[in-house]
Short mmCIF file of all heavy atoms in Angstrom, two decimals:
data_model
loop_
_atom_site.label_atom_id
_atom_site.label_comp_id
_atom_site.label_asym_id
_atom_site.label_seq_id
_atom_site.Cartn_x
_atom_site.Cartn_y
_atom_site.Cartn_z
N GLN A 3 -7.37 32.48 -0.03
CA GLN A 3 -8.09 31.30 -0.50
C GLN A 3 -7.12 30.28 -1.12
O GLN A 3 -7.26 29.07 -0.90
CB GLN A 3 -9.16 31.70 -1.53
CG GLN A 3 -10.29 32.51 -0.94
CD GLN A 3 -11.04 31.76 0.15
OE1 GLN A 3 -11.21 30.56 0.09
NE2 GLN A 3 -11.47 32.50 1.16
N ALA A 4 -6.13 30.76 -1.88
CA ALA A 4 -5.15 29.85 -2.47
C ALA A 4 -4.32 29.18 -1.37
O ALA A 4 -4.01 27.98 -1.45
CB ALA A 4 -4.23 30.61 -3.42
N ALA A 5 -3.96 29.92 -0.33
CA ALA A 5 -3.20 29.35 0.78
C ALA A 5 -4.01 28.28 1.51
O ALA A 5 -3.48 27.24 1.91
CB ALA A 5 -2.78 30.45 1.75
N ILE A 6 -5.30 28.50 1.67
CA ILE A 6 -6.17 27.52 2.34
C ILE A 6 -6.22 26.23 1.52
O ILE A 6 -6.15 25.12 2.07
CB ILE A 6 -7.57 28.11 2.58
CG1 ILE A 6 -7.50 29.18 3.66
CG2 ILE A 6 -8.57 27.03 2.95
CD1 ILE A 6 -8.78 29.96 3.85
N VAL A 7 -6.36 26.37 0.20
CA VAL A 7 -6.40 25.18 -0.67
C VAL A 7 -5.09 24.40 -0.54
O VAL A 7 -5.09 23.16 -0.40
CB VAL A 7 -6.68 25.59 -2.13
CG1 VAL A 7 -6.44 24.44 -3.08
CG2 VAL A 7 -8.10 26.11 -2.26
N ASN A 8 -3.96 25.11 -0.58
CA ASN A 8 -2.65 24.45 -0.45
C ASN A 8 -2.49 23.76 0.90
O ASN A 8 -1.95 22.66 0.99
CB ASN A 8 -1.51 25.45 -0.67
CG ASN A 8 -1.39 25.88 -2.11
OD1 ASN A 8 -1.86 25.19 -3.01
ND2 ASN A 8 -0.80 27.04 -2.33
N MET A 9 -2.96 24.41 1.95
CA MET A 9 -2.87 23.81 3.29
C MET A 9 -3.67 22.52 3.36
O MET A 9 -3.22 21.52 3.93
CB MET A 9 -3.37 24.79 4.36
CG MET A 9 -2.41 25.91 4.66
SD MET A 9 -3.07 27.09 5.85
CE MET A 9 -3.18 26.10 7.30
N LYS A 10 -4.87 22.52 2.78
CA LYS A 10 -5.71 21.31 2.81
C LYS A 10 -5.04 20.17 2.05
O LYS A 10 -5.05 19.02 2.49
CB LYS A 10 -7.08 21.62 2.22
CG LYS A 10 -7.96 22.45 3.12
CD LYS A 10 -9.32 22.70 2.50
CE LYS A 10 -10.19 23.53 3.43
NZ LYS A 10 -11.52 23.77 2.85
N GLU A 11 -4.44 20.50 0.89
CA GLU A 11 -3.74 19.47 0.11
C GLU A 11 -2.55 18.91 0.87
O GLU A 11 -2.33 17.70 0.91
CB GLU A 11 -3.27 20.05 -1.23
CG GLU A 11 -4.39 20.33 -2.21
CD GLU A 11 -3.91 21.06 -3.44
OE1 GLU A 11 -2.68 21.34 -3.57
OE2 GLU A 11 -4.74 21.35 -4.31
N ASP A 12 -1.76 19.81 1.48
CA ASP A 12 -0.59 19.36 2.26
C ASP A 12 -1.02 18.48 3.43
O ASP A 12 -0.42 17.43 3.70
CB ASP A 12 0.20 20.56 2.77
CG ASP A 12 1.00 21.26 1.68
OD1 ASP A 12 1.19 20.64 0.61
OD2 ASP A 12 1.43 22.41 1.91
N PHE A 13 -2.06 18.90 4.14
CA PHE A 13 -2.51 18.12 5.29
C PHE A 13 -3.02 16.75 4.87
O PHE A 13 -2.71 15.73 5.52
CB PHE A 13 -3.61 18.90 6.03
CG PHE A 13 -4.01 18.27 7.33
CD1 PHE A 13 -3.17 18.33 8.43
CD2 PHE A 13 -5.22 17.62 7.45
CE1 PHE A 13 -3.54 17.75 9.63
CE2 PHE A 13 -5.59 17.02 8.64
CZ PHE A 13 -4.74 17.10 9.74
N ALA A 14 -3.77 16.69 3.78
CA ALA A 14 -4.28 15.40 3.30
C ALA A 14 -3.12 14.49 2.89
O ALA A 14 -3.13 13.28 3.20
CB ALA A 14 -5.23 15.61 2.12
N ARG A 15 -2.11 15.03 2.22
CA ARG A 15 -0.96 14.22 1.79
C ARG A 15 -0.16 13.72 3.01
O ARG A 15 0.29 12.56 3.02
CB ARG A 15 -0.06 15.03 0.86
CG ARG A 15 1.13 14.29 0.34
CD ARG A 15 0.70 13.13 -0.54
NE ARG A 15 1.89 12.41 -0.96
CZ ARG A 15 1.94 11.14 -1.27
NH1 ARG A 15 0.83 10.41 -1.26
NH2 ARG A 15 3.06 10.56 -1.63
N ILE A 16 -0.02 14.57 4.03
CA ILE A 16 0.67 14.14 5.26
C ILE A 16 -0.08 12.98 5.90
O ILE A 16 0.52 12.00 6.36
CB ILE A 16 0.83 15.32 6.25
CG1 ILE A 16 1.86 16.32 5.70
CG2 ILE A 16 1.25 14.84 7.64
CD1 ILE A 16 1.91 17.61 6.47
N GLN A 17 -1.40 13.05 5.93
CA GLN A 17 -2.20 11.95 6.50
C GLN A 17 -2.01 10.66 5.70
O GLN A 17 -1.89 9.57 6.28
CB GLN A 17 -3.67 12.33 6.54
CG GLN A 17 -4.01 13.36 7.61
CD GLN A 17 -5.47 13.73 7.58
OE1 GLN A 17 -6.08 13.83 6.51
NE2 GLN A 17 -6.05 13.96 8.75
N VAL A 18 -1.98 10.76 4.37
CA VAL A 18 -1.80 9.57 3.54
C VAL A 18 -0.43 8.94 3.81
O VAL A 18 -0.31 7.71 3.98
CB VAL A 18 -1.97 9.93 2.04
CG1 VAL A 18 -1.49 8.79 1.15
CG2 VAL A 18 -3.42 10.27 1.74
N LEU A 19 0.61 9.76 3.86
CA LEU A 19 1.97 9.24 4.11
C LEU A 19 2.06 8.60 5.50
O LEU A 19 2.67 7.53 5.67
CB LEU A 19 3.01 10.36 3.96
CG LEU A 19 3.20 10.90 2.55
CD1 LEU A 19 4.07 12.15 2.56
CD2 LEU A 19 3.83 9.83 1.66
N ARG A 20 1.48 9.25 6.48
CA ARG A 20 1.51 8.69 7.84
C ARG A 20 0.78 7.36 7.89
O ARG A 20 1.22 6.40 8.52
CB ARG A 20 0.86 9.68 8.81
CG ARG A 20 0.89 9.21 10.25
CD ARG A 20 -0.33 9.77 10.98
NE ARG A 20 -0.57 9.06 12.19
CZ ARG A 20 -1.33 7.98 12.30
NH1 ARG A 20 -1.91 7.45 11.27
NH2 ARG A 20 -1.51 7.39 13.48
N ASN A 21 -0.37 7.27 7.22
CA ASN A 21 -1.13 6.01 7.19
C ASN A 21 -0.35 4.90 6.49
O ASN A 21 -0.41 3.74 6.92
CB ASN A 21 -2.48 6.21 6.52
CG ASN A 21 -3.43 7.05 7.37
OD1 ASN A 21 -3.22 7.20 8.58
ND2 ASN A 21 -4.45 7.60 6.74
N ASP A 22 0.40 5.22 5.42
CA ASP A 22 1.23 4.21 4.74
C ASP A 22 2.30 3.67 5.68
O ASP A 22 2.51 2.44 5.77
CB ASP A 22 1.90 4.82 3.50
CG ASP A 22 0.93 5.01 2.35
OD1 ASP A 22 -0.17 4.41 2.40
OD2 ASP A 22 1.29 5.75 1.42
N ILE A 23 2.95 4.57 6.41
CA ILE A 23 3.99 4.13 7.35
C ILE A 23 3.37 3.28 8.45
O ILE A 23 3.89 2.21 8.81
CB ILE A 23 4.73 5.36 7.95
CG1 ILE A 23 5.53 6.08 6.85
CG2 ILE A 23 5.65 4.94 9.08
CD1 ILE A 23 6.10 7.42 7.29
N ALA A 24 2.22 3.72 8.99
CA ALA A 24 1.58 2.98 10.08
C ALA A 24 1.09 1.62 9.58
O ALA A 24 1.20 0.61 10.29
CB ALA A 24 0.42 3.79 10.64
N ARG A 25 0.55 1.53 8.37
CA ARG A 25 0.07 0.27 7.82
C ARG A 25 1.21 -0.75 7.69
O ARG A 25 1.06 -1.93 8.00
CB ARG A 25 -0.57 0.51 6.45
CG ARG A 25 -1.95 -0.10 6.33
CD ARG A 25 -2.62 0.14 4.99
NE ARG A 25 -3.28 1.44 4.97
CZ ARG A 25 -2.95 2.46 4.19
NH1 ARG A 25 -1.99 2.35 3.32
NH2 ARG A 25 -3.60 3.58 4.26
N ASN A 26 2.36 -0.28 7.22
CA ASN A 26 3.53 -1.17 7.08
C ASN A 26 4.01 -1.66 8.44
O ASN A 26 4.42 -2.81 8.57
CB ASN A 26 4.66 -0.47 6.33
CG ASN A 26 4.36 -0.31 4.85
OD1 ASN A 26 3.53 -1.04 4.30
ND2 ASN A 26 5.01 0.65 4.22
N LEU A 27 3.94 -0.80 9.45
CA LEU A 27 4.38 -1.22 10.78
C LEU A 27 3.40 -2.22 11.40
O LEU A 27 3.81 -3.20 12.03
CB LEU A 27 4.53 0.00 11.70
CG LEU A 27 5.71 0.92 11.39
CD1 LEU A 27 5.66 2.15 12.29
CD2 LEU A 27 7.03 0.19 11.58
N VAL A 28 2.11 -1.97 11.23
CA VAL A 28 1.09 -2.87 11.80
C VAL A 28 1.12 -4.23 11.10
O VAL A 28 0.90 -5.26 11.73
CB VAL A 28 -0.30 -2.21 11.71
CG1 VAL A 28 -1.40 -3.19 12.06
CG2 VAL A 28 -0.37 -0.99 12.63
N ALA A 29 1.42 -4.24 9.81
CA ALA A 29 1.44 -5.48 9.03
C ALA A 29 2.72 -6.28 9.28
O ALA A 29 2.88 -7.37 8.74
CB ALA A 29 1.30 -5.18 7.55
N HIS A 30 3.62 -5.77 10.10
CA HIS A 30 4.90 -6.42 10.42
C HIS A 30 5.71 -6.72 9.18
O HIS A 30 6.38 -7.75 9.07
CB HIS A 30 4.68 -7.70 11.25
CG HIS A 30 4.03 -7.42 12.57
ND1 HIS A 30 4.65 -6.73 13.58
CD2 HIS A 30 2.79 -7.74 13.04
CE1 HIS A 30 3.83 -6.64 14.62
NE2 HIS A 30 2.68 -7.27 14.32
N LYS A 31 5.64 -5.82 8.21
CA LYS A 31 6.46 -5.96 7.01
C LYS A 31 7.88 -5.54 7.37
O LYS A 31 8.10 -4.74 8.28
CB LYS A 31 5.94 -5.07 5.89
CG LYS A 31 4.61 -5.51 5.30
CD LYS A 31 4.25 -4.62 4.13
CE LYS A 31 2.94 -5.08 3.51
NZ LYS A 31 2.52 -4.22 2.41
N PRO A 32 8.85 -6.05 6.64
CA PRO A 32 10.21 -5.60 6.91
C PRO A 32 10.34 -4.11 6.56
O PRO A 32 9.74 -3.62 5.61
CB PRO A 32 11.08 -6.46 5.99
CG PRO A 32 10.16 -7.12 5.04
CD PRO A 32 8.78 -7.06 5.61
N LEU A 33 11.11 -3.40 7.36
CA LEU A 33 11.25 -1.96 7.19
C LEU A 33 12.07 -1.64 5.94
O LEU A 33 13.16 -2.17 5.74
CB LEU A 33 11.93 -1.34 8.41
CG LEU A 33 11.14 -1.40 9.71
CD1 LEU A 33 11.95 -0.83 10.86
CD2 LEU A 33 9.83 -0.68 9.59
N ASP A 34 11.51 -0.78 5.11
CA ASP A 34 12.22 -0.28 3.92
C ASP A 34 12.69 1.13 4.29
O ASP A 34 11.94 2.10 4.17
CB ASP A 34 11.29 -0.28 2.72
CG ASP A 34 11.98 0.15 1.44
OD1 ASP A 34 13.21 0.43 1.49
OD2 ASP A 34 11.30 0.23 0.40
N PHE A 35 13.94 1.20 4.76
CA PHE A 35 14.44 2.48 5.25
C PHE A 35 14.52 3.55 4.16
O PHE A 35 14.35 4.73 4.45
CB PHE A 35 15.81 2.28 5.91
CG PHE A 35 15.72 1.50 7.18
CD1 PHE A 35 16.17 0.19 7.24
CD2 PHE A 35 15.17 2.06 8.32
CE1 PHE A 35 16.08 -0.53 8.40
CE2 PHE A 35 15.08 1.34 9.49
CZ PHE A 35 15.53 0.03 9.54
N ASN A 36 14.75 3.14 2.96
CA ASN A 36 14.79 4.11 1.87
C ASN A 36 13.40 4.72 1.66
O ASN A 36 13.26 5.94 1.53
CB ASN A 36 15.28 3.43 0.58
CG ASN A 36 15.58 4.44 -0.50
OD1 ASN A 36 15.85 5.60 -0.21
ND2 ASN A 36 15.54 3.99 -1.75
N LEU A 37 12.34 3.90 1.66
CA LEU A 37 10.97 4.40 1.51
C LEU A 37 10.58 5.28 2.69
O LEU A 37 9.99 6.35 2.52
CB LEU A 37 9.99 3.22 1.37
CG LEU A 37 8.51 3.59 1.28
CD1 LEU A 37 8.25 4.39 0.00
CD2 LEU A 37 7.65 2.36 1.35
N ILE A 38 10.92 4.86 3.90
CA ILE A 38 10.60 5.64 5.10
C ILE A 38 11.31 6.99 5.05
O ILE A 38 10.74 8.03 5.40
CB ILE A 38 10.95 4.86 6.38
CG1 ILE A 38 10.03 3.66 6.52
CG2 ILE A 38 10.86 5.76 7.60
CD1 ILE A 38 10.40 2.73 7.66
#
């Protein structure tokens, strides 16, 4: 059960990070290589 909770948290965080990267690319913002 603890492993399942950790997996859900990790997956949700990966989705948030991916959406941040995709939002910056779609908005044609200059690339911040350090942030990426």
